[in-house]
Amino acid sequence: MTGVDLTTLYRGPLASCDYDCPYCPFAKRRDSPGQLRADRAALERFTGWAERQTEDRLSVLFTPWGEGLVRPWYRRALVALSHQPHIRRVAIQTNLSCRTDWLAEADLATVALWCTYHPGQTPYQRFLAKTHRLTELGVRFSVGVVGLAAHLEHARRLREALPDQVYLWVNAAEGHTYDDEEADAWTELDPLFPYSRHPHRSAGLPCRTGASVISVDGGGSVRRCHFVRTELGNLYDGSYRAALAPRPCPLDTCDCHIGYVHLETLPLYDVFAGGVLERVPAALPATGTRPVPGR
Ligand code: SF4
Ligand code: SF4
């Protein structure tokens, strides 16, 4: 079998979180011990698969519903996969509530974090100190916030305190529309905010998912992305492989960064070259400018 370049977004059964964000269905949810065991077993199965795919060049992003890094099996997976020569990047979305010392064990050329700051869930200074520790350790990471009005001052304070080389992204809040004044305020902080402001029309457009990007769940079901439910096959019996092919998006819109970043009609593979999964731009955009979001 010929090797391929494959980006894999993994989301297992974990659905619990140590935070209580008012905008999240997983806030303070608990998984039973049985559910946690199942999540661990599913993650270890996936990690084993990824370790054996030595013919491929893999990039992996863990996108748990809840918080993964408070669970040791996610930390172990990041460290183990980071040391595999055929794995180019392994990253995870996290609220950064976890310890950071374990990252010293990882290959820092491969591991990366997509961190979200949730004001109201963690003291500002504690979160900031975590980001400073990541910088000291030499970990690649981005930091972001949900663009709710109540978060604006927190985001401004964070932007000022972060080193210039750390990108701060802003996600449009789900179901929220921004007037130009509000959008400008967020764009001052994140010049790439215009990409997030509105859902992207995607129907019939070419998207890399299903060809060089796949979504995998805990049972190994492979879909093109987290948003299109049609299955392409299973990871563990290899049946997904024959289904990898370019295909247009079947949905009307795509409104999540982990989806539309792969749309071929957007220039985001160039904008985030080398950091697509952890949302780190190739060159930091100058704050206060506004790019044209190619739609
Ligand atoms: S940290 Fe993330 S998963 Fe946890 S409650 Fe907040 S938004 Fe939800
Ligand atoms: S554009 Fe978004 S919804 Fe459509 S296939 Fe790509 S990732 Fe999935």
Side-chain angles (χ1 to χ4, degrees):
M1 189 181 286
T2 320
V4 294
D5 289 288
L6 194 62
T7 292
T8 308
L9 275 61
Y10 175 87
R11 178 177 285 159
L14 188 87
S16 53
C17 187
D18 52 335
Y19 281 10
D20 193 18
C21 302
Y23 38 84
C24 179
F26 305 100
K28 285 288 182 199
R29 257 181 49 181
R30 285 176 191 276
D31 285 316
S32 68
Q35 288 166 321
L36 291 175
R37 274 195 300 277
D39 185 70
R40 174 178 168 170
L43 185 80
E44 290 176 351
R45 188 180 187 200
F46 173 77
T47 307
W49 171 87
E51 286 177 339
R52 290 191 301 277
Q53 290 305 109
T54 53
E55 298 284 296
D56 294 337
R57 294 156 301 281
L58 289 185
S59 302
V60 176
L61 175 63
F62 295 107
T63 58
W65 287 125
E67 175 57 31
L69 289 184
V70 293
R71 308 293 175 190
W73 49 98
Y74 282 87
R75 301 195 296 266
R76 281 198 298 270
L78 269 106
V79 171
L81 294 183
S82 77
H83 289 290
Q84 296 293 320
H86 65 288
I87 295 189
R88 294 172 159 181
R89 180 72 77 232
V90 58
I92 187 168
Q93 296 179 316
T94 176
N95 64 21
L96 205 55
S97 63
C98 64
R99 297 181 291 112
T100 48
D101 52 342
W102 59 276
L103 282 156
E105 310 280 315
D107 183 336
L108 297 176
T110 305
V111 79
L113 302 182
W114 159 315
C115 308
T116 306
Y117 173 46
H118 299 283
Q121 300 301 307
T122 183
Y124 169 77
Q125 290 298 346
R126 184 184 302 168
F127 183 85
L128 186 64
K130 291 268 173 79
T131 67
H132 288 332
R133 185 71 188 123
L134 294 182
T135 301
E136 284 162 14
L137 284 167
V139 176
R140 278 178 70 80
F141 67 101
S142 66
V143 177
V145 295
V146 178
L148 292 166
H151 291 174
L152 185 57
E153 288 312 313
H154 299 281
R156 284 185 172 138
R157 181 161 66 147
L158 186 59
R159 176 62 279 170
E160 267 177 35
L162 286 170
D164 288 346
Q165 74 271 17
V166 175
Y167 172 54
L168 182 133
W169 50 262
V170 177
N171 268 356
E174 208 174 322
H176 194 83
T177 48
Y178 294 81
D179 64 28
D180 286 346
E181 194 181 334
E182 289 171 323
D184 285 350
W186 289 112
T187 305
E188 282 287 316
L189 294 176
D190 172 11
L192 302 176
F193 177 72
Y195 287 109
S196 179
R197 181 179 173 185
H198 304 287
H200 292 266
R201 282 191 300 276
S202 56
L205 296 181
C207 172
R208 295 173 181 88
T209 63
S212 59
V213 183
I214 55 172
S215 150
V216 181
D217 71 13
S221 291
V222 174
R223 298 176 174 84
R224 65 177 304 167
C225 65
H226 286 339
F227 317 106
V228 176
R229 301 311 297 162
T230 311
E231 294 187 18
L232 301 179
N234 192 277
L235 195 71
Y236 302 121
D237 65 12
S239 56
Y240 75 98
R241 197 80 172 194
L244 295 180
R247 42 171 75 74
C249 175
L251 303 187
D252 290 339
T253 58
C254 187
D255 67 353
C256 190
H257 178 92
I258 59 173
Y260 65 70
V261 73
H262 304 296
L263 263 177
E264 292 183 40
T265 48
L266 294 176
L268 295 176
Y269 267 40
D270 293 330
V271 172
F272 292 97
V276 165
L277 292 190
E278 64 275 23
R279 206 169 176 171
V280 172
L284 280 172
T287 50
T289 59
R290 186 205 278 246
V292 178
R295 71 178 76 201

